[in-house]
Amino acid sequence: MENFFKFKEHRTTFKTEVLAGVTTFLTMVYIVIVNPAILSAAGIPFDQVFMATIIAAVIGTLIMGVFAKYPIAVAPGMGLNAYFTSIVATQGLTYQAVLGTVFLAGLIIILLSLTSLRRRLIEAIPAPLKFGITAGIGLFIAFLGLKMAGIVQPNTDTLVTMGDLTQPVTALAIGGLVITLVLMARKVTGALFFGMVITAVGGIFFELLHFESIFSAPPVPTLIDLGESVRGVVGNSLYTVVFAFILVTIFDSTGTLVGVSEQGGFMKQGKLARTKSATLSDAFATTIGATLGTSPSCAYIESSAGVAAGGRTGLTSVVVAFLFLVSMFFSPAIGAIASLPAITAPILIIVGCFMMEGLAKINWRNFDDAFPAFIIILTMPLTSSIATGIALGFISYPILKIATGKWKEVHPLIFIFAVIFLVQIIFFPMH
C-alpha cells in the first residue's frame, strides 16, 4: 500500500489518510439520505435510489482513488437530482425516460473524457455562463428546500407566499436549519450530517419520526430497462435535457477537481496529472448510476474537508468508498429519516448557499456579461428547469456580444448552441 499510494512522496501516513477519508465521508454522507428523498418523489422506489446512490458513489470514488489516486470523492450531485424530479413532475414523463437521458449523458461524458473534447468544451463556455449556471442551480435547490419544509407555499395571487411556520414539520425544519447553520459557522466537521442527526432527534421527541428498525440486509439493486428508457428519450425528444445533464455534470466535476487539487497542491504549473482517469470517475459513476436508478454523479466539493484534514492520496477516497458500502446496512433508518422533509430540507437550503460563491467572480458592471448570468439565475428556479435557464443564457450571451461589437470574443460553439437552443425553445418548448 505504501508503494502504491506513495505516502512518503506525498508527506502523509496511513493514519492520516484514513482520518481524512472519515472526515470527507461525514461531510457528504447526507447524500445517502437526501438523494433518495428527492428522487423517490419522481416515482423511483426508495430502496432502488438508495442502492443506486451508494453504488454510483462507490464506483466513482474508487476509480478516483485507485486510478487517478486523488483524495476526491464522487457521488450523485445535488441540484441535478432536483432537476430530474422536476422534469418528471412538469413534463408528465416516466422516470425511466429521464433515466435514459442520464444514461446517454453519461456515455457522452465518457467519450468526451477519453478525448480532449471535454477540456475544449469547458474552455468554450464563457465564465459568466458557468457561474450563472452554478448559482441558478443553487437557487433552484434552495427553493425546493423551502417548499419541502413548508416555509414557502403556493399562492394564486403572488405565486408563492410564506407558509404556516407553526406547523410541526415546518417548525422542526426551521429549528434544524438554525442548528445546522450554527454548526457550519463554528466550522464543525460533518456539520450537515450532525445537523440532520440533531434534527432527527427532535423529530423523535415531537413524535414526527418513527423507526421500525435500524439495520437490515442491503436492498437488492434493480436494473432499469435501458431499451425502454432510451426509447423514451427519443420519443419525447429529450435532447435538451441530455445536454443540460452533460453540461452541468462536467462543470460541477471539473470545478471541484481543479479547486480541491489547487488546495492539496496537486496542480503542477497549471496542469493536473492523470486527468483522464479523474474525469472518467464521474462519467462511469453517472452511466452506471443511471442503469440502477439515480441522477448524474460528480466530484464533491466536500472532499476539501478531507484534504484539509491531511488527505493527499487515493487511499482517502478508498476509505470513503468503504464507508459508503457500510451505509448499505442502515437502509431502514435512512428511509425513515428521508421520509421527514424537516430533516433534509435544511441541507438543500444550505447547499444552495454554497453554490452562490461564483457570483462574486462575475463583472456585474459589464452588462453583456452580467445579463446572461442574471437570466440564467432568474429563470432556473422560476421555471423549475435547469435546461431552460441554460438555453436562455446561451441565447442572450452571443446576442449581446454582437450588439456591443465583441462577437470575436464568442467561441463558435456558443453560436451553434445558441441557434440549437433557439430552435428548441420556439418549436419544441418544454412546458
Side-chain angles (χ1 to χ4, degrees):
M1 188 173 294
E2 159 67 36
N3 292 332
F4 186 79
F5 290 112
K6 301 178 181 178
F7 295 151
K8 290 183 180 178
E9 180 180 323
H10 294 284
R11 298 179 181 178
T12 186
T13 64
F14 177 84
K15 180 181 178 181
T16 299
E17 294 297 302
V18 171
L19 290 176
V22 172
T23 300
T24 295
F25 177 76
L26 288 177
T27 61
M28 63 180 290
V29 65
Y30 67 85
I31 194 62
V32 176
I33 300 171
V34 176
N35 200 48
I38 293 175
L39 292 182
S40 59
I44 311 178
F46 181 92
D47 283 350
Q48 181 175 355
V49 186
F50 174 74
M51 289 302 292
T53 301
I54 292 175
I55 293 171
V58 169
I59 290 173
T61 305
L62 279 180
I63 292 173
M64 183 70 79
V66 175
F67 296 99
K69 299 182 181 179
Y70 290 122
I72 299 173
V74 175
M78 290 295 295
L80 291 175
N81 47 14
Y83 176 48
F84 184 106
T85 300
S86 73
I87 295 170
V88 174
T90 60
Q91 307 300 315
L93 300 168
T94 64
Y95 71 79
Q96 290 89 344
V98 186
L99 283 173
T101 66
V102 178
F103 177 73
L104 293 177
L107 289 180
I108 294 171
I109 294 172
I110 289 175
L111 294 175
L112 291 174
S113 299
L114 289 171
T115 67
S116 62
L117 290 177
R118 181 166 181 173
R119 176 180 55 80
R120 291 179 181 177
L121 178 60
I122 293 168
E123 293 172 351
I125 311 300
L129 296 186
K130 294 177 184 175
F131 299 136
I133 289 170
T134 302
I137 294 172
L139 284 183
F140 181 89
I141 63 174
F143 185 52
L144 175 64
L146 292 172
K147 289 192 294 183
M148 286 173 57
I151 297 173
V152 300
Q153 63 184 21
N155 180 277
T156 53
D157 296 323
T158 61
L159 297 182
V160 291
T161 188
M162 184 71 78
D164 182 358
L165 305 186
T166 63
Q167 289 294 315
V169 172
T170 304
L172 180 62
I174 294 173
L177 177 61
V178 172
I179 289 169
T180 310
L181 288 173
V182 170
L183 294 175
M184 291 293 303
R186 299 294 299 174
K187 301 185 186 304
V188 174
T189 298
L192 295 179
F193 173 71
F194 290 118
M196 294 176 71
V197 170
I198 295 170
T199 308
V201 171
I204 295 172
F205 182 80
F206 291 108
E207 298 185 347
L208 296 173
L209 178 62
H210 305 278
F211 293 103
E212 294 183 4
S213 61
I214 304 296
F215 308 99
S216 76
V220 178
T222 304
L223 287 171
I224 66 169
D225 185 337
L226 277 178
E228 177 189 348
S229 296
V230 173
R231 284 193 294 272
V233 176
V234 177
N236 293 284
S237 300
L238 300 178
Y239 308 115
T240 303
V241 178
V242 174
F243 181 72
F245 279 139
I246 292 170
L247 212 57
V248 178
T249 301
I250 288 176
F251 287 164
D252 273 6
S253 270
T254 305
T256 297
L257 188 61
V258 171
V260 177
S261 296
E262 287 283 4
Q263 176 192 1
F266 311 133
M267 301 283 286
K268 306 298 181 184
Q269 297 180 337
K271 296 182 179 180
L272 185 66
R274 303 179 298 282
T275 302
K276 187 175 293 184
S277 297
T279 55
L280 281 171
S281 62
D282 62 73
F284 278 111
T286 294
T287 307
I288 295 171
T291 66
L292 295 168
T294 188
S295 48
S297 297
C298 56
Y300 260 60
I301 193 61
E302 284 84 351
S303 303
S304 60
V307 172
R312 290 295 182 273
T313 75
L315 180 58
T316 294
S317 297
V318 172
V319 171
V320 174
F322 171 76
L323 293 174
F324 269 116
L325 280 175
V326 172
S327 69
M328 285 183 179
F329 296 90
F330 292 84
S331 61
I334 290 173
I337 292 171
S339 67
L340 182 58
I343 299 174
T344 53
I347 306 302
L348 299 181
I349 297 168
I350 293 172
V351 171
C353 174
F354 291 161
M355 301 177 77
M356 297 294 111
E357 182 181 359
L359 294 181
K361 301 176 183 178
I362 297 174
N363 183 2
W364 292 102
R365 295 184 179 182
N366 188 356
F367 186 74
D368 47 308
D369 281 343
F371 185 82
F374 167 75
I375 200 66
I376 293 172
I377 297 165
L378 178 69
T379 54
M380 277 190 185
L382 292 183
T383 63
S384 294
S385 173
I386 290 175
T388 298
I390 291 174
L392 294 177
F394 271 74
I395 292 169
S396 59
Y397 185 84
I399 290 175
L400 291 177
K401 289 299 181 181
I402 292 172
T404 53
K406 302 177 184 176
W407 61 271
K408 290 184 178 180
E409 296 180 6
V410 183
H411 194 284
L413 277 176
I414 304 302
F415 287 112
I416 295 172
F417 287 140
V419 172
I420 292 173
F421 280 132
L422 189 61
V423 171
Q424 184 266 322
I425 284 179
I426 296 173
F427 298 104
F428 308 100
M430 295 182 65
H431 300 293

